[in-house]
């Protein structure tokens, strides 16, 4: 095994929450003095004998067999320590960043605990990320290691790792070490880590208020920005979420969406389940077939889905009448749920709907158990905390009356005050007094519930995965034949929105009938995650412009929707 003797740069301090707020959050008991690794150790001790994780391993998850791993909390912790020891033996040091990119397999959990136990900070990558995204995260965080599995069907992540590592080397950088869970780094017997205290950075005053990990933003500008969340802020949101969702020790939670997503991780999600000592069941794929058999076999009580998946589950359940009798709560979030689908959840799936409107930057809203059906179907709920501050404003930042739609700005005990190492973007994404500009258009209902009525950001929401249009456009413009390009989200029944790219070739350049294949090949070659690759390509001779000569996205969209309705 390669061991590294490289010192990685220190984490850049994120924009801090002003002390007067921090003090308030401490005094009110929102921020407590506990770190995530301490939380894991404590929960694994407290629930040592309970079943913690059910899932496939990296060797078995492609097969349509029942899950092969069943770990108690004590065993999970042991596996976490094992990974931590291996990471440390390989040269990962406390404070280092580690890219975590695993599919929904049981080892996701041991890797997660392992990174924290080693005193390092996970960077939550998606399984679908490829060279372009991974190299960006590695550069931005000076990551020491990248945990992945080389056995992901249809995706050669060893090759992806090698090729972006070479890219980084060519730039004079030292790439992260690759940690393939199929070939774990070796370990000498005496190297076993035993105690957290030996790996924590003890010099800091309040460890719990330091950055714990980096989440990815949905992104409205370029490649995802990194979101620095602290131990104290995140754990506060987890404890409150578990209470709001009324989780109990028998609230077995099914992980369907990627584990790294903030929704799955903490709303109340994986960490909420750990907070109450419940079992976390990993579905190897999001299909209704896989999920339905796990629900019946494992007595699943809670699942979290994006709206397009809910529709797939409903359609499948109507055909097959599966045994979903254990399912109590179906959380739906990540994109707008239509009322008609919302109303079908209870009658068809038997579970109570909870709408979840959240963002990795912080603020999460839930409909509550006691809410009327009217609120449950029509709104996306109320904020977690009485300390969440919500502003709904017009285009000039003036508050709008209750019931009128406006831009949602927010600030609070678990919402960041700035992205990681992005001073220019932070100026635009946050107000001077620290409110985050979510880019969502919402209206307030008289009871305090929020309803999402639109979106003011240039983003495509495909299956709850967010795509910044300018990332796709910038990449398209690097194509030698493309003079101009616009990326748009086209409404779609199965995934919510699909990426459509409208391109204008240079004079004299042509795309043949297969423009789509040609460009899909180009984007794949550029190492772009597959979910961002345009599924529809339209070639136009020119783009409609506004009176002042700017390209009018609205008109392009209108033209396109018109052509689509005829095709
Ligand atoms: C969740 O987090 P992100 O960071 O992937 O995306 C946040 C954005 C929101 O700003 C909003 O535009 C959209 O996703 N969104 C919703 C929604 N939930 C999220 N739009 C309408 N209705 C909803 N229920 O997506 C996320 C994070 C934590 C919990 C749940 C979702």
């Amino acid at each position: 095994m390669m061991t590294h003797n490289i010192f990685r740069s220190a984490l850049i301090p994120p924009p801090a929450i002003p002390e007067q707020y921090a003090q308030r959050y401490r005094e009110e008991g929102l921020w407590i003095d506990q770190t995530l690794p301490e939380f894991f150790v404590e929960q694994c001790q407290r629930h040592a004998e309970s079943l913690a994780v059910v899932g496939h391993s990296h060797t078995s998850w492609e097969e349509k067999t029942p899950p092969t791993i069943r770990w108690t909390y004590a065993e999970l912790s042991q596996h976490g320590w094992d990974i931590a020891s291996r990471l440390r033996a390989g040269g990962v040091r406390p404070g280092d960043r580690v890219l975590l990119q695993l599919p929904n397999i049981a080892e996701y959990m041991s890797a997660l605990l392992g990174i924290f136990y080693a005193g390092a900070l996970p960077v939550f990558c998606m399984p679908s990320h490829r060279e372009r995204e991974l190299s960006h995260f590695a550069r931005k965080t000076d990551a020491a290691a990248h945990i992945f599995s080389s056995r992901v069907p249809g995706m050669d992540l060893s090759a992806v790792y090698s090729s972006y590592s070479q890219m980084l080397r060519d730039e004079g950088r030292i790439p992260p070490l690759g940690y393939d869970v199929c070939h774990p780094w070796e370990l000498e017997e005496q190297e076993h880590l035993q105690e957290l205290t030996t790996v924590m950075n003890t010099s800091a005053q309040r460890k719990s208020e330091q950055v714990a990990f980096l989440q990815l933003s949905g992104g409205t500008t370029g490649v995802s920005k990194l979101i620095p969340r602290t131990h104290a802020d995140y754990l506060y949101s987890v404890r409150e979420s578990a209470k709001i969702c009324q989780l109990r020790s028998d609230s077995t939670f099914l992980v369907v969406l990627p584990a790294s997503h903030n929704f799955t991780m903490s709303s109340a999600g994986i960490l909420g389940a750990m907070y109450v000592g419940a079992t976390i069941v990993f579905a190897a794929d999001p299909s209704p077939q896989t999920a339905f058999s796990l629900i019946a076999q494992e007595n699943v009580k809670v699942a979290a889905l994006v709206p397009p998946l809910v529709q797939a589950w409903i359609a499948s359940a109507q055909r097959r009448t599966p045994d979903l009798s254990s399912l109590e709560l179906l959380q739906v979030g990540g994109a707008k749920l239509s009322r008609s689908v919302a109303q079908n959840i209870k009658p068809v799936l038997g579970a109570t709907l909870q709408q979840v409107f959240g963002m990795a930057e912080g603020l999460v809203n839930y409909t509550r158990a006691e809410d009327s059906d009217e609120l449950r179907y029509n709104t996306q709920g109320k904020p977690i905390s009485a300390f969440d501050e919500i502003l709904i404003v017009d285009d000039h930042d003036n508050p709008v009356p209750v019931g009128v739609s406006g831009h949602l700005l927010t600030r609070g005990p678990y919402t960041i005050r700035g992205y990681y190492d992005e001073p220019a973007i932070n100026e635009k994404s946050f107000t001077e007094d620290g409110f985050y500009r979510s880019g969502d258009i919402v209206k307030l209902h008289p009871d305090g519930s929020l309803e999402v009525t639109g979106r003011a950001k240039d983003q495509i929401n495909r299956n709850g995965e967010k795509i910044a249009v300018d990332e796709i456009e910038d990449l398209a413009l690097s194509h030698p034949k493309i003079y101009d390009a616009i990326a748009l989200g086209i409404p779609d029944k199965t995934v919510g929105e699909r990426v459509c790219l409208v391109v204008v070739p240079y004079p004299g350049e042509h795309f043949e009938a297969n423009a789509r294949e040609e460009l899909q090949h180009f984007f794949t070659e550029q190492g772009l995650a597959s979910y961002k690759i345009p599924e529809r390509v339209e070639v136009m001779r020119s783009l409609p412009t506004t009176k002042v000569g700017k390209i009018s996205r609205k008109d392009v969209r209108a033209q396109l929707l018109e052509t689509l309705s005829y095709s």
Side-chain angles (χ1 to χ4, degrees):
M1 180 193 61
M2 275 206 305
T3 40
H4 243 210
N5 233 346
I6 291 154
F7 285 90
R8 298 288 176 169
S9 51
L11 197 78
I12 299 165
I17 294 201
E19 180 54 27
Q20 89 230 44
Y21 289 90
Q23 203 180 341
R24 180 103 196 269
Y25 299 153
R26 275 177 224 127
E27 282 167 6
E28 297 283 347
L30 319 183
W31 289 2
I32 62 173
D33 205 8
Q34 185 185 42
T35 63
L36 272 146
E38 286 163 355
F39 167 84
F40 290 133
V41 167
E42 192 177 315
Q43 295 313 112
C44 290
Q45 271 167 7
R46 180 171 296 161
H47 307 288
E49 302 308 315
S50 309
L51 186 60
V53 180
V54 174
H56 279 278
S57 79
H58 63 273
T59 54
S60 69
W61 78 291
E62 313 150 51
E63 294 147 29
K64 297 268 172 220
T65 53
T68 49
I69 290 185
R70 308 182 79 80
W71 289 334
T72 63
Y73 272 90
E75 287 165 339
L76 167 61
S77 203
Q78 216 35 63
H79 287 287
W81 283 117
D82 180 66
I83 303 255
S85 306
R86 289 172 198 275
L87 291 174
R88 293 295 299 279
V92 172
R93 294 185 172 84
D96 278 352
R97 276 73 61 198
V98 175
L99 308 187
L100 173 58
Q101 189 197 24
L102 288 179
N104 285 350
I105 52 177
E107 288 97 334
Y108 187 96
M109 291 302 297
S110 46
L112 178 71
L113 268 61
I115 297 171
F116 280 114
Y117 284 176
L121 289 75
V123 180
F124 287 112
C125 305
M126 287 294 154
S128 50
H129 283 146
R130 297 180 64 249
E131 287 92 336
R132 201 176 141 81
E133 292 85 12
L134 295 162
S135 62
H136 173 74
F137 302 141
R139 253 184 231 115
K140 202 75 187 165
T141 66
D142 193 22
H146 172 188
I147 303 184
F148 63 90
S149 164
S150 56
R151 291 189 57 160
V152 177
M155 214 169 174
D156 187 352
L157 283 174
S158 307
V160 169
Y161 166 74
S162 306
S163 82
Y164 88 77
S165 294
Q166 191 53 49
M167 246 159 83
L168 295 180
R169 264 184 231 108
D170 293 345
E171 295 167 13
R173 295 170 199 270
I174 300 164
L177 289 171
Y179 186 110
D180 177 359
V181 289
C182 308
H183 305 285
W185 296 347
E186 282 154 32
L187 190 60
E188 302 281 327
E189 199 48 42
Q190 68 274 17
E191 283 172 333
H192 272 292
L193 276 182
Q194 291 303 336
E195 275 185 46
L196 225 39
T197 47
T198 58
V199 299
M200 293 299 293
N201 174 4
T202 48
S203 62
Q205 254 186 329
R206 281 192 194 84
K207 289 179 290 190
S208 60
E209 291 175 25
Q210 294 185 3
V211 176
F213 58 83
L214 294 160
Q215 260 284 4
L216 307 185
S217 88
T220 48
T221 44
V223 183
S224 292
K225 299 173 290 292
L226 295 163
I227 295 172
R229 300 288 299 260
T230 68
H231 302 271
D233 91 60
Y234 210 57
L235 284 172
Y236 167 60
S237 76
V238 167
R239 294 190 305 272
E240 291 305 306
S241 295
K243 277 181 224 157
I244 291 167
C245 304
Q246 305 186 332
L247 297 190
R248 311 172 305 257
S249 58
D250 70 343
S251 299
T252 299
F253 175 65
L254 184 67
V255 180
V256 181
L257 304 172
S260 287
H261 195 276
N262 192 57
F263 184 14
T264 331
M265 185 59 74
S266 67
S267 305
I270 291 171
L271 298 185
M274 290 193 75
Y275 180 59
V276 296
T279 305
I280 302 153
V281 179
F282 282 89
D285 69 76
S287 69
Q289 292 82 330
T290 302
F292 291 171
S293 39
L294 284 171
I295 290 171
Q297 283 158 20
E298 306 295 338
N299 210 9
V300 167
K301 304 268 171 62
V302 184
L305 299 181
V306 289
L309 270 179
V310 179
Q311 278 172 280
W313 280 30
I314 289 178
S316 174
Q318 279 168 332
R319 286 196 306 271
R320 297 154 20 109
T321 55
D323 174 11
L324 302 177
S325 54
S326 63
L327 195 64
E328 293 172 357
L329 184 68
L330 190 68
Q331 301 179 286
V332 184
K336 183 70 188 271
L337 177 69
S338 76
R339 187 190 166 101
S340 58
V341 177
Q343 281 172 320
N344 265 333
I345 291 175
K346 186 86 186 179
V348 180
L349 301 172
T352 299
L353 161 68
Q354 178 181 50
Q355 297 219 34
V356 188
F357 163 40
M359 48 208 76
E361 286 80 357
L363 181 72
V364 179
N365 305 276
Y366 295 101
T367 55
R368 306 299 208 263
E370 64 275 14
D371 281 350
S372 64
D373 280 349
E374 213 37 44
L375 288 175
R376 197 189 313 283
Y377 298 149
N378 287 337
T379 78
Q380 281 64 52
K382 297 188 215 32
I384 286 181
S385 171
F387 293 85
D388 281 317
E389 298 171 69
I390 301 287
L391 282 179
I392 305 177
V393 298
D394 63 17
D395 289 346
H396 308 288
D397 280 356
N398 299 315
V400 298
V402 172
V404 174
S405 287
H407 302 271
L408 170 66
L409 314 185
T410 185
R411 171 171 90 172
Y414 59 96
T415 296
I416 54 162
R417 296 284 183 135
Y419 292 109
Y420 181 66
D421 189 23
E422 300 284 1
I425 292 174
N426 287 341
E427 292 243 326
K428 289 195 208 133
S429 303
F430 294 82
T431 66
E432 256 170 36
D433 44 8
F435 280 83
Y436 167 57
R437 297 183 186 276
S438 71
D440 293 312
I441 305 290
V442 302
K443 73 177 181 198
L444 191 66
H445 282 237
D447 78 307
S449 295
L450 293 173
E451 180 185 341
V452 181
T453 56
R455 198 190 303 155
K457 47 191 170 188
D458 287 335
Q459 195 180 65
I460 300 168
N461 190 331
R462 184 187 189 279
N463 254 338
E465 294 195 280
K466 316 302 184 312
I467 302 154
V469 295
D470 70 355
E471 179 178 12
I472 312 303
E473 292 167 358
D474 288 350
L475 203 53
L477 290 176
S478 71
H479 188 285
K481 283 192 201 171
I482 297 180
Y483 169 71
D484 212 344
I486 282 213
L488 297 164
I490 296 296
D492 180 85
K493 269 212 188 88
T494 33
V495 293
E497 289 176 8
R498 283 190 198 276
V499 183
C500 174
L501 184 70
V502 181
V503 295
V504 179
Y506 277 107
E509 294 287 2
H510 292 280
F511 282 100
E512 305 305 324
N514 59 353
R516 188 173 66 129
E517 286 73 19
E518 187 176 337
L519 288 178
Q520 285 181 337
H521 179 72
F522 170 75
F523 283 113
T524 307
E525 289 248 288
Q526 298 293 311
L528 191 68
S530 53
Y531 68 92
K532 298 179 186 170
I533 294 182
E535 289 166 276
R536 190 170 179 113
V537 170
E538 296 290 328
V539 183
M540 287 189 182
R541 277 287 127 212
S542 64
L543 295 174
T545 50
T546 61
K547 285 194 197 92
V548 289
K550 274 177 75 175
I551 289 167
S552 165
R553 224 169 247 290
K554 232 168 85 191
D555 292 347
V556 178
R557 173 187 297 277
Q559 265 191 24
L560 201 67
L561 289 177
E562 205 172 299
T563 50
L564 289 183
S565 59
Y566 294 115
S567 58

